[in-house]
Amino acid sequence: MESNKQPRKIQLYTKEFYATCTLGGIIACGPTHSSITPLDLVKCRLQVNPKLYTSNLQGFRKIIANEGWKKVYTGFGATFVGYSLQGAGKYGGYEYFKHLYSSWLSPGVTVYLMASATAEFLADIMLCPFEAIKVKQQTTMPPFCNNVVDGWKKMYAESGGMKAFYKGIVPLWCRQIPYTMCKFTSFEKIVQKIYSVLPKKKEEMNALQQISVSFVGGYLAGILCAAVSHPADVMVSKINSERKANESMSVASKRIYQKIGFTGLWNGLMVRIVMIGTLTSFQWLIYDSFKAYVGLPTTG
């Protein structure tokens, strides 16, 4: 006898819903960020020393020739751990704060901006220690540590505590919060626009069609994100690698800016556009695919 029992659905805005979205964020962010470690490695080194490589391809070739092919994945572990934690806070937090703020304000751009900013602010507190390890590992040659645990021990010992892990928190917020505000808000609006011009309503589309919209919307949003957050991304790399002991954030930022100038803030932009565009599109693809798989509606 066949059972007519329907599979249990996850109720929206419950603890189970937020836990599921948090897991989706981990799956979307950890693997995607760590998979582009080679691009990130070249980008970070060029931000610190623009004369180091003449192109991305030459950068890869020099790293492989001088350090071995495995070294193109320098920083992989710290990236995977850090961005898995950040993804948990970013996506799970966004879903939570979007619902919370929507109960206070009319749903729309203001809610998207507030929810994404709040989620990213908290997510970066988890990301920052691992971002510091990653940047230092990628911009010192040879790398100052072999893995995440080794890097954590060395940085903790050097600073006598957690101070070294959070010296870049302010520029990280300056980079990531505008990036995430742009990422989520532009994605929501772009996806809404795409649905508005398609012959079918979103509710009439199957999961594959909805996920395809998420992928396209994610790539377009990623291009905007890269441009908005790039100057702060350069400054994060510079501060993590060049900030002097006991130097304040404002003094370090001013000194570095005087050294590199306005144009220096845009070093590596094209690499980052390719990297972030691809990254963002695949994150939305994975996140919304996961949501669809567990029976939740896609975002937007």
Side-chain angles (χ1 to χ4, degrees):
M1 182 176 178
E2 293 185 6
S3 173
N4 293 323
K5 186 178 180 181
Q6 296 294 318
R8 185 175 66 86
K9 289 187 176 181
I10 298 172
Q11 296 298 312
L12 296 179
Y13 315 124
T14 60
K15 290 181 180 179
E16 186 180 12
F17 168 75
Y18 294 123
T20 302
C21 293
T22 298
L23 177 59
I26 293 172
I27 296 170
C29 291
T32 51
H33 273 280
S34 54
S35 69
I36 58 169
T37 298
L39 270 175
D40 192 40
L41 172 64
V42 173
K43 173 187 70 71
C44 282
R45 288 185 175 180
L46 283 173
Q47 286 173 345
V48 173
N49 182 4
K51 297 180 181 179
L52 188 61
Y53 310 125
T54 57
S55 67
N56 299 326
L57 184 59
Q58 197 235 10
F60 294 135
R61 287 174 175 171
K62 285 188 72 173
I63 292 168
I64 293 170
N66 298 334
E67 305 172 46
W69 70 268
K70 290 183 179 180
K71 292 300 181 181
V72 297
Y73 283 95
T74 298
F76 178 92
T79 301
F80 182 83
V81 175
Y83 282 92
S84 292
L85 293 173
Q86 188 228 28
K90 177 187 292 189
Y91 282 88
Y94 178 71
E95 298 284 5
Y96 174 78
F97 289 113
K98 182 169 74 168
H99 180 62
L100 176 65
Y101 296 151
S102 292
S103 66
W104 301 345
L105 304 166
S106 298
V109 171
T110 301
V111 168
Y112 303 150
L113 291 171
M114 290 174 59
S116 55
T118 308
E120 187 61 47
F121 177 86
L122 298 173
D124 286 346
I125 295 172
M126 296 186 285
L127 168 65
C128 195
F130 300 97
E131 180 75 357
I133 294 171
K134 184 214 73 168
V135 170
K136 189 167 184 179
Q137 190 178 10
Q138 290 182 333
T139 56
T140 54
M141 293 183 284
F144 88 110
C145 66
N146 297 318
N147 52 55
V148 183
V149 176
D150 183 36
W152 187 284
K153 289 178 179 178
K154 286 182 177 179
M155 289 184 68
Y156 189 90
E158 287 174 5
S159 64
M162 295 295 292
K163 185 177 179 180
F165 297 107
Y166 284 97
K167 69 180 183 180
I169 187 65
V170 173
L172 183 64
W173 277 329
C174 291
R175 180 190 80 185
Q176 288 297 130
I177 291 176
Y179 163 80
T180 301
M181 291 170 72
C182 180
K183 172 180 177 176
F184 281 88
T185 305
S186 60
F187 175 80
E188 295 265 16
K189 298 302 291 183
I190 289 169
V191 164
Q192 288 171 16
K193 183 64 177 177
I194 293 173
Y195 281 125
S196 72
V197 298
L198 292 176
K200 288 183 180 180
K201 293 182 179 180
K202 178 182 177 181
E203 295 75 18
E204 298 172 346
M205 295 181 181
N206 59 38
L208 180 60
Q209 291 170 327
Q210 292 184 22
I211 291 166
S212 298
V213 172
S214 295
F215 181 79
V216 174
Y219 204 96
L220 295 175
I223 293 172
L224 294 174
C225 295
V228 167
S229 61
H230 190 73
D233 183 59
V234 173
M235 193 59 74
V236 168
S237 296
K238 287 286 190 180
I239 287 173
N240 275 317
S241 63
E242 298 182 19
R243 187 178 177 185
K244 299 175 182 178
N246 300 318
E247 187 177 35
S248 70
M249 186 68 66
S250 59
V251 171
S253 299
K254 184 177 180 180
R255 176 178 58 80
I256 291 169
Y257 182 77
Q258 288 175 339
K259 177 182 175 182
I260 65 174
F262 180 76
T263 55
L265 292 174
W266 302 97
N267 287 333
L269 176 60
M270 292 310 298
V271 182
R272 195 157 189 266
I273 284 176
V274 173
M275 185 177 78
I276 297 300
T278 305
L279 187 73
T280 304
S281 60
F282 275 97
Q283 283 179 355
W284 281 115
L285 175 68
I286 294 168
Y287 181 67
D288 273 350
S289 294
F290 179 75
K291 287 177 75 177
Y293 174 76
V294 298
L296 292 172
T298 58
T299 311

